[in-house]
Amino acid sequence: MIKVENLTKRYAGTTAIRDLSFEVGQGEIMGFLGPNGAGKSTTMRILAGFMPPTSGRASVAGFDVFSQSLQARAHLGYMPENVPLYNDMRVTEYLNYRAALKGVPHRRVKERVGDVQELCGLKDVEKRLIATLSKGYRQRVGLADALVAEPDLLILDEPTIGLDPNQIRQVRELIKNLGKQHTILLSTHILPEVEMTCSRVIIVHKGRIEACDTPENLLGQIRQAGGVVVEAKTGSDNGVEELKKISGVRDVSSDVAGDWKTFSLRVESGVDVREEIYRLATARHWTLRELSQRRATLEDVFVEITHTEVSA
Amino acid sequence: MRKFFTLLGREVRSYFYSPIAYIVLVFFLLVCGVNFYFQITYMNQRPMAYTVEEAFFNNVFFWFAFVLIFPLITMRVFAEEFKLGTIEPLLTAPVRDWQVVLSKFFGALIFYLVLWAPTALYFLFFERVTHQTAAGSWGAYWGSYLLLLLLGSFYISIGCFASVLTKNQIIAAIISFAVITMLFFLGLIQFIMLDVSSSMRDVLGYFSAIEHMGTLSRGIIDTRPIVFYTSMTIVMLVLTHQAFQTRKWRL
Ligand SMILES: Nc1ncnc2c1ncn2[C@@H]1O[C@H](COP(=O)(O)OP(=O)(O)O)[C@@H](O)[C@H]1O
Ligand SMILES: [Mg+2]
């Protein structure tokens, strides 16, 4: 559905993406994951035919996004980051306009717009001015717009950014359902999102692909090198020093809340250090209130790969 | 073609959704109304060698309002889309760049013609009320309104070009105002500086909106301004299209 070969985009001064190559097959939900500034939006804008790449090629549904831009655009529904909309139009009016612009046959516009409004939960606000909509509803209008012409492929740039947790859950549910009929490429910098919705993940960092696999496989790679969480009252001990001495512990960070300290330990693959920690705690007379092995998440994969702070 | 009309429809409607459009409308009708009233009052007091219609289109009120409206009409056409980012959904829909450019141009032109429509009523009422003719001939009406259309097209295309250069509407307005005023005064040089050469005077004459209005509002249809303004409009639209293509994603 999407084929990207050696795609590079340079802006004046910065190289946003370097030599990107990947493919997205029919029916996949592909997650495009990376911190801010990784080049996700740039890639998506090129795929959506908004701007040409500096070098390399990309095609959508078999059409080159640059030389056959019009056909390529006709096959995809794109939702830009932050969903820019005409504030002076009403919801239904806007979707009617977009449907006509995307070549939905005249007699089908009403039906299609009705359908996507239903699907995206816009029925209550269909007569409202877009300027008066909340962020969540704007996001839904953007999604309805992407869907209105029944495209084979959906490209969604940060579809859940700026939403409250409830809305995020609804949008995720919606995307999952859409994935049954559409191929989807969605970008995000929020990790649980891909874990929950995507069938495959591409991790980009500083314009390069760092990993591309299913979420399960990525987790598999890192499972052994998981972590341990310890919450304890250590009295006069610092805690970090003592824990670091245990063999197999790579790294310890601590968080203090009153008397209680929470330690996060990163440990070497295949080592279970919990028994050692228990012994240490009894020997030093610590009061232990939590001692648990943490299931590795994509976040660990991500941190491992990018070595940067990740905000969730 | 349907996509073009869809775009055009949205352009025209967006004028009537915006408060600026109504401010322009009121301002323009006010100036035109005052202008018409003054001309008639003035002409009532002494015998004149020209008609009401000629007087209406050839005076400082008219030109003042005329030059001022273009930046106001055109400043938003592209700049606003750049600013809001709506250019992105617009251009990722399967539409061609020239369809977008032409829809912006014709949208502005239609709004501009709507501004002028009520002035035709002035002459109608004048003739009904006074039982006198307002113009020398029907050709005089045709001539004046034809020039309004031609000159309007040209100045609107300049405004569209200015708007494509920036995402700041105020800057777009200033650029087009400066360029239009300059062109307007270019045509005046020949009246002010009497020692310009005759060939220079011919060239400057092409830009002289005042001179063109002088002839056309008397019903004398000269093809030179028609050809000149039409070709200049096309040139400006081509430039706008070019600038749009290189600028659209350099937000
Ligand atoms: N229009 C632009 N002009 C110049 N630099 C840009 C432009 N858009 C993005 N960039 C730069 O390109 C890099 C990638 O940006 P972007 O693709 O928006 O990342 P992401 O969507 O992953 O946060 C960033 O360093 C950003 O500053
Ligand atoms: Mg982005």
Side-chain angles (χ1 to χ4, degrees):
Chain A
M1 204 60 178
I2 299 180
K3 199 167 172 191
V4 173
E5 289 168 72
N6 309 103
L7 208 62
T8 298
K9 177 76 195 180
R10 255 178 241 115
Y11 293 111
T14 51
T15 305
I17 53 172
R18 289 162 223 258
D19 215 22
L20 239 53
S21 300
F22 65 90
E23 279 184 46
V24 182
Q26 180 86 40
E28 276 192 283
I29 303 185
M30 176 70 98
F32 213 55
L33 179 66
N36 284 322
K40 306 180 294 289
S41 300
T42 303
T43 312
M44 293 182 137
R45 284 174 151 191
I46 294 170
L47 288 175
F50 182 60
M51 57 185 177
T54 309
S55 67
R57 276 193 310 182
S59 67
V60 164
F63 297 103
D64 188 273
V65 294
F66 187 58
S67 59
Q68 296 166 302
S69 176
L70 220 56
Q71 290 101 314
R73 277 183 268 163
H75 280 86
L76 63 88
Y78 171 55
M79 180 171 132
E81 197 171 7
N82 300 322
V83 207
L85 300 167
Y86 294 124
N87 288 325
D88 54 11
M89 291 175 105
R90 288 171 200 283
V91 174
T92 305
E93 181 192 18
Y94 179 71
L95 293 173
N96 283 339
Y97 158 76
R98 294 294 293 177
L101 210 56
K102 293 178 177 186
V104 174
H106 206 283
R107 66 201 142 70
R108 293 208 54 217
V109 168
K110 204 174 166 199
E111 175 202 332
R112 279 305 301 155
V113 170
D115 285 356
V116 291
Q117 287 188 152
E118 192 79 53
L119 188 66
C120 300
L122 287 167
K123 275 283 170 219
D124 310 335
V125 295
E126 62 178 10
K127 293 203 177 66
R128 286 256 297 271
L129 215 52
I130 288 176
T132 68
L133 295 182
S134 67
K135 178 86 186 155
Y137 275 113
R138 288 176 70 91
Q139 215 85 4
R140 292 184 205 195
V141 174
L143 201 56
D145 169 26
L147 285 167
V148 77
E150 299 179 277
D152 307 319
L153 169 69
L154 289 175
I155 297 182
L156 312 174
D157 198 352
E158 311 247 6
T160 55
I161 200 168
L163 301 185
D164 66 42
N166 234 347
Q167 295 168 325
I168 290 180
R169 227 189 38 232
Q170 288 167 1
V171 171
R172 269 182 205 155
E173 228 23 69
L174 193 59
I175 290 172
K176 253 187 170 161
N177 281 327
L178 291 171
K180 289 170 190 152
Q181 294 131 28
H182 299 81
T183 307
I184 301 177
L185 175 66
L186 73 88
S187 81
T188 179
H189 64 278
I190 302 167
L191 292 142
E193 190 144 301
V194 254
E195 243 178 311
M196 276 180 242
T197 47
C198 301
S199 54
R200 242 167 14 117
V201 186
I202 293 173
I203 299 183
V204 278
H205 182 54
K206 294 189 176 154
R208 287 180 207 280
I209 294 183
E210 298 288 352
C212 175
D213 213 329
T214 60
E216 293 76 30
N217 286 349
L218 286 173
L219 288 178
Q221 283 174 20
I222 203 121
R223 173 128 311 144
Q224 305 93 333
V228 171
V229 178
V230 180
E231 200 180 356
K233 238 189 246 175
T234 57
S236 56
D237 289 351
N238 169 290
V240 176
E241 297 306 316
E242 290 80 2
L243 286 166
K244 266 192 181 155
K245 286 194 189 113
I246 297 172
S247 75
V249 175
R250 268 207 253 163
D251 198 13
V252 181
S253 59
S254 72
D255 206 6
V256 185
D259 286 344
W260 291 98
K261 290 182 184 168
T262 307
F263 303 97
S264 303
L265 285 71
R266 293 214 301 139
V267 295
E268 272 159 31
S269 311
V271 188
D272 193 342
V273 293
R274 284 177 293 179
E275 212 176 320
E276 271 313 304
I277 294 170
Y278 173 73
R279 263 190 232 116
L280 173 74
T282 27
R284 310 283 313 174
H285 302 290
W286 296 353
T287 321
L288 211 55
R289 141 166 122 172
E290 186 184 347
L291 174 58
S292 59
Q293 183 123 37
R294 194 162 50 88
R295 181 181 156 273
T297 62
L298 264 186
E299 187 153 352
D300 299 308
V301 183
F302 197 70
V303 171
E304 192 87 334
I305 288 169
T306 61
H307 304 290
T308 43
E309 268 299 294
V310 186
S311 57
Chain B
M1 225 31 195
R2 177 177 168 224
K3 285 179 188 170
F4 171 72
F5 283 114
T6 305
L7 289 167
L8 183 63
R10 139 93 206 143
E11 281 307 312
V12 174
R13 263 180 297 168
S14 74
Y15 276 106
F16 295 96
Y17 291 155
S18 103
I20 290 187
Y22 289 98
I23 295 169
V24 172
L25 203 73
V26 169
F27 160 78
F28 190 69
L29 287 180
L30 216 65
V31 175
C32 285
V34 168
N35 177 20
F36 194 73
Y37 177 77
F38 275 14
Q39 297 307 328
I40 290 179
T41 319
Y42 188 77
M43 293 174 84
N44 255 338
Q45 291 161 4
R46 67 215 84 193
M48 282 292 148
Y50 45 79
T51 65
V52 175
E53 182 264 348
E54 277 173 63
F56 180 74
F57 286 115
N58 293 285
N59 70 77
V60 71
F61 280 110
F62 165 79
W63 289 115
F64 164 70
F66 188 75
V67 171
L68 216 59
I69 54 175
F70 294 102
L72 295 174
I73 294 177
T74 56
M75 62 185 189
R76 51 162 286 280
V77 291
F78 290 103
E80 190 178 38
E81 302 248 15
F82 290 142
K83 181 95 178 184
L84 293 176
T86 48
I87 195 73
E88 205 171 339
L90 178 61
L91 291 178
T92 51
V95 294
R96 294 176 195 278
D97 287 354
W98 64 260
Q99 290 176 320
V100 173
V101 171
L102 287 186
S103 71
K104 301 263 172 209
F105 170 75
F106 281 108
L109 191 62
I110 288 171
F111 179 72
Y112 167 76
L113 294 178
V114 168
L115 280 184
W116 279 112
T119 61
L121 292 176
Y122 297 174
F123 300 112
L124 193 73
F125 285 140
F126 180 84
E127 301 206 349
R128 278 288 148 79
V129 171
T130 63
H131 301 289
Q132 292 178 29
T133 50
S137 66
W138 275 104
Y141 287 122
W142 283 117
S144 314
Y145 283 98
L146 179 67
L147 188 71
L148 288 183
L149 178 67
L150 291 169
L151 208 52
S153 302
F154 179 35
Y155 288 176
I156 285 171
S157 67
I158 292 172
C160 287
F161 182 70
S163 187
V164 97
L165 298 176
T166 170
K167 62 175 165 186
N168 186 327
Q169 293 193 35
I170 306 298
I171 291 176
I174 291 170
I175 294 174
S176 55
F177 181 72
V179 174
I180 291 169
T181 318
M182 219 179 62
L183 285 176
F184 190 76
F185 282 108
L186 213 58
L188 286 180
I189 291 178
Q190 53 172 341
F191 298 113
I192 301 161
M193 292 159 56
L194 295 169
D195 57 343
V196 289
S197 66
S198 70
S199 58
M200 185 70 178
R201 181 163 303 184
D202 283 349
V203 174
L204 291 176
Y206 270 104
F207 291 95
S208 181
I210 292 185
E211 195 179 316
H212 295 148
M213 186 51 102
T215 32
L216 283 162
S217 65
R218 262 181 278 134
I220 302 162
I221 309 290
D222 183 355
T223 51
R224 278 176 309 170
I226 300 177
V227 173
F228 174 73
Y229 288 124
T230 310
S231 38
M232 287 308 272
T233 304
I234 293 169
V235 168
M236 283 317 293
L237 287 176
V238 170
L239 285 179
T240 306
H241 180 248
Q242 292 302 323
F244 184 52
Q245 289 204 310
T246 54
R247 234 204 77 84
K248 60 187 182 187
W249 30 264
R250 295 208 188 119
L251 307 175

